[in-house]
Amino acid sequence: MPTEEELIARAAELLARGPLLPPPAERKRLREAAGLTQQDVATALQTKRETVNGWETGRTTPRPPRLAAYQHLLNGWAEKYPQTRASAPAPAAATETFTGTTTAPPADTPTRPAAGTVASTTASRPARTAKPSTSSRRPGAKKPAPSAAADPRFENGPLAVVDADDGQMLAYCVGGLVLDCPAKTFPALVEWALTEAKLGAPRLHRNGKDADPLVVLTDAAAERLGLPAVLEDRRGLRLAEDHKVVKQLARAKWRLTKRGFGPWARVYRPAEGGKRQCVQFAILPWGALDTRSWGDTGQLPPADVAAVLGTYATRVLTPRGSTAVCGLELMSALRPPTRAVKDAATGSWVSGPNPGSLTEPIDPAPPEAPAEHPLVAALYPRHHVRTPDQVIDEEAYDWFRPLTDEECTQGYTHAVGLDVNMAFAAAANRLVISTGPATHVKHPAFDAKLPGSWLVDLSHIETDPRLPSPFTPKGARPTGPAWYSTSTVAYAVELGAAVQPAEAYVRYEHGAYFDGWYTRLRDAYMATMADLGVEAGMSEADFLAAMARHKSVDPGQAAVLSAIKSTVKGGIGKLRERPQSIKHKFGEPWPALSRATWSPHARAELIGKVRTNQHRKLTAWARAGLFPVAILSDCAVYLSHGPSPLDFMPHTDDGKPLPGGFRLGVSPGMVKHEGTRDFLWLAQTIEDEQINPARHIKGDDAPDSGE
């Protein structure tokens, strides 16, 4: 046993070390009294804002060499801004004062829990003691979405962004919640995500599946867990099978999907008792968040990454890969391929097809299949170029025309681009597509209610040369029989043409498969635009002004908006995904063909509807004397005497937009201002360079790829 003299000597050593840090609430008070932000302190001490936030909430404690500097800062503030009785913080858990003494809290005040239970929160929020993981919430942060909080299994939201800071692993969740993550290895991180973290999201359809937890790893967290900063396999984008992290998972009996351990890795075990055991990982240093879809989200602080991804997860779905993958996954989440049905023979519940869904992979009709497909490879030599009567060519517009003499003498000063909001999503609304196999018929009568592909001659239909043909992507008039989707042939009938198909591949099983998909993406888009200050019902002038500044209102919400648009475009592209592997051999099946959602027919129907919807509005304006000079995808370019759409857009006598034409507004199907260039630039681009000016109408020479 130590003697009394030894204990007194050790106590003297503690007293000699100088004053200790004030309680967390007092640290915050002193900083705010000095009129500084957490970022100001972080910049001065060369650390992260989240680290300073941790010091002020009591979640973490500064370590040398920053400890002495932070002490010095607080002591200086304490002399300038002494604490008054009115500003004294509420009693907290046993806290250390400037003098080194310890004050115990009143009996009815909750004490700070030990590590692994619950961390202290901000001074204005009492500590929560019901959670199994250490947690806190950033000051001013919003609560998680009610849908996630309503299910106790997922009370911490759909995802967590894990970061390593000052020797600790912290998990930033939706709504500003921060959890202590005790995992030191990858298998331990998987176990934590499935148990203590309480991450995930409820299913979007009663026959679907709950969303698996998403764990996003920052550069620091990936390094702490033993992952390389860069993937050496740049072609396969996966970690080597002999890497130590892959071996750790294998030893713990965790499995990886066929993709392996890449930027979007899924780690799982076979379900036990109907309970899924799966965690989705996104590795930020490996480029999991593509800048074309997410902007600079991957470079933001962890809390901001969690906010962006959390908003997307709440409004669309928990990310499971690229936005294209999410677009496809959302279709299945809203219309699951299977449901539980009762076996009449045994009386037990078994999995059966879900009516109205894409339930199993179905071969396309030969004219719908891409050249690499086994069906086509068996019909034509490898380098054969199929003609319009052999392959369907339903694509978005890429058209421009030479200027007329009259247009060159009218004194136009500008070319103005109009872009259709969410054009491809809008076309999906109430679109009927096949949910079953195709039936080949000869000389059928055309039925606009029957989805399919039709071989018909539409070359006899006259169109104004100042407008593109509605039947070809390049806008040229058809020269003979060609394959078209039901959407396109129905528009020909609408124009008054008599059509007599020579043959067709029709689908007798069909439905409005995309309705739920469209509705959810529309709502997500409208909610995000509202957050950016653009709302339905605005006047045309107010709408244009709001659109001019919306991307700078909130960079995080702007990133969500970009991701939503990419989800639409990428999801539709995935309907006819072509071979991705360099090992693929022409004429052999590829993995996408095994998906029920691989449907080139559905893509053709949807894009045909986009093009004909656009042509219908072009025609309405043409009747008023307005003709486009270029179109790319969902962007149309018109000549104008001024730089604004309001300088040329036609209106009725009472000031309303011309019926049937383009209308300014935020809703899907309405248009926004895409960009303006001067008339001389337009003339040079068309006449001299022979380039579609709609591709560069934004004014930054960035190609316009539509939405």
Side-chain angles (χ1 to χ4, degrees), residues 614-629:
Q614 194 169 15
H615 193 273
R616 189 177 290 108
K617 295 177 181 179
L618 295 170
T619 302
W621 273 17
R623 290 193 291 267
L626 285 175
F627 294 88
V629 294

Side-chain angles (χ1 to χ4, degrees), residues 193-238:
L194 289 172
T195 54
E196 293 183 52
K198 292 191 175 182
L199 299 174
R203 64 195 70 187
L204 298 180
H205 188 280
R206 61 189 181 90
N207 293 322
K209 300 174 181 176
D210 296 328
D212 297 318
L214 169 63
V215 176
V216 183
L217 298 182
T218 65
D219 298 44
E223 180 183 4
R224 177 69 58 83
L225 293 168
L227 296 176
V230 178
L231 278 176
E232 294 182 3
D233 182 2
R234 301 309 302 162
R235 179 170 292 174
L237 290 177
R238 62 177 61 189

Side-chain angles (χ1 to χ4, degrees), residues 331 335 428-429 431 433 511-519 575 602 606:
M331 297 177 194
R335 284 194 181 267
N429 187 31
L431 177 68
I433 68 166
Y513 176 77
F514 291 116
D515 275 8
W517 187 77
Y518 161 74
T519 299
L575 293 172
L606 196 150

Side-chain angles (χ1 to χ4, degrees), residues 184-188 221-229 239-252 254 256 261 286:
K184 299 185 183 301
T185 65
F186 223 94
E223 180 183 4
R224 177 69 58 83
L225 293 168
L227 296 176
L239 207 57
E241 295 293 331
D242 59 352
H243 191 275
K244 64 177 184 180
V245 170
V246 177
K247 289 183 176 179
Q248 287 175 355
L249 291 170
R251 284 196 298 269
W254 289 105
L256 295 168
F261 201 112
W286 296 354

Side-chain angles (χ1 to χ4, degrees), residues 48 162-169 217-227 229 284-285 302:
K48 298 179 182 179
V162 176
D163 186 37
D165 185 31
D166 281 352
Q168 290 182 301
M169 293 273 279
L217 298 182
T218 65
D219 298 44
E223 180 183 4
R224 177 69 58 83
L225 293 168
L227 296 176
L284 294 184

Side-chain angles (χ1 to χ4, degrees), residues 111-133:
T111 59
R112 179 178 178 177
T117 54
V118 185
S120 64
T121 60
T122 57
S124 60
R125 184 186 301 270
R128 295 161 60 188
T129 57
K131 286 192 175 184
S133 299

Side-chain angles (χ1 to χ4, degrees), residues 83-399:
Q83 190 179 63
T84 63
R85 181 175 300 275
S87 63
T95 53
E96 296 166 330
T97 66
F98 280 105
T99 59
T101 60
T102 301
T103 58
D108 59 346
T109 302
T111 59
R112 179 178 178 177
T117 54
V118 185
S120 64
T121 60
T122 57
S124 60
R125 184 186 301 270
R128 295 161 60 188
T129 57
K131 286 192 175 184
S133 299
T134 303
S135 63
S136 67
R137 191 177 302 282
R138 291 182 293 122
K142 297 180 181 179
K143 293 183 179 180
S147 59
D151 193 326
R153 298 173 300 162
F154 313 125
E155 65 174 281
N156 292 334
L159 56 91
V161 180
V162 176
D163 186 37
D165 185 31
D166 281 352
Q168 290 182 301
M169 293 273 279
L170 302 176
Y172 296 82
C173 304
V174 175
L177 183 69
V178 183
L179 306 175
D180 283 336
C181 179
K184 299 185 183 301
T185 65
F186 223 94
L189 181 60
V190 177
E191 296 281 2
W192 173 83
L194 289 172
T195 54
E196 293 183 52
K198 292 191 175 182
L199 299 174
R203 64 195 70 187
L204 298 180
H205 188 280
R206 61 189 181 90
N207 293 322
K209 300 174 181 176
D210 296 328
D212 297 318
L214 169 63
V215 176
V216 183
L217 298 182
T218 65
D219 298 44
E223 180 183 4
R224 177 69 58 83
L225 293 168
L227 296 176
V230 178
L231 278 176
E232 294 182 3
D233 182 2
R234 301 309 302 162
R235 179 170 292 174
L237 290 177
R238 62 177 61 189
L239 207 57
E241 295 293 331
D242 59 352
H243 191 275
K244 64 177 184 180
V245 170
V246 177
K247 289 183 176 179
Q248 287 175 355
L249 291 170
R251 284 196 298 269
K253 297 184 179 180
W254 289 105
R255 301 182 185 180
L256 295 168
T257 60
K258 291 182 180 179
R259 287 186 188 178
F261 201 112
W264 288 92
R266 292 185 72 82
V267 180
Y268 73 99
R269 284 178 184 152
E272 294 181 359
K275 184 178 180 181
R276 288 172 61 83
Q277 300 181 85
C278 183
V279 180
Q280 176 76 65
F281 288 93
I283 318 299
L284 294 184
W286 296 354
L289 298 181
D290 192 329
T291 55
R292 293 170 296 181
S293 301
W294 294 98
D296 296 328
T297 300
Q299 305 301 318
L300 296 175
D304 295 334
V305 176
V308 172
L309 295 181
T311 301
Y312 180 89
T314 302
R315 293 178 179 172
V316 184
L317 86 166
T318 305
R320 305 176 187 180
S322 67
T323 49
V325 170
C326 291
L328 203 65
E329 291 286 342
L330 182 61
M331 297 177 194
S332 297
L334 294 169
R335 284 194 181 267
T338 61
R339 63 172 181 169
V341 296
K342 203 163 190 177
D343 189 323
T346 63
S348 59
W349 291 95
V350 297
S351 180
N354 190 22
S357 298
L358 300 178
T359 58
E360 60 182 358
I362 297 174
D363 283 338
E368 299 165 352
E372 305 92 341
H373 196 280
L375 283 176
V376 180
L379 296 174
Y380 307 105
R382 177 168 186 172
H383 299 290
H384 173 75
V385 178
R386 289 184 287 173
T387 55
D389 61 341
Q390 296 173 338
V391 59
I392 194 169
D393 187 23
E394 296 284 16
E395 299 292 342
Y397 272 130
D398 185 358
W399 169 87

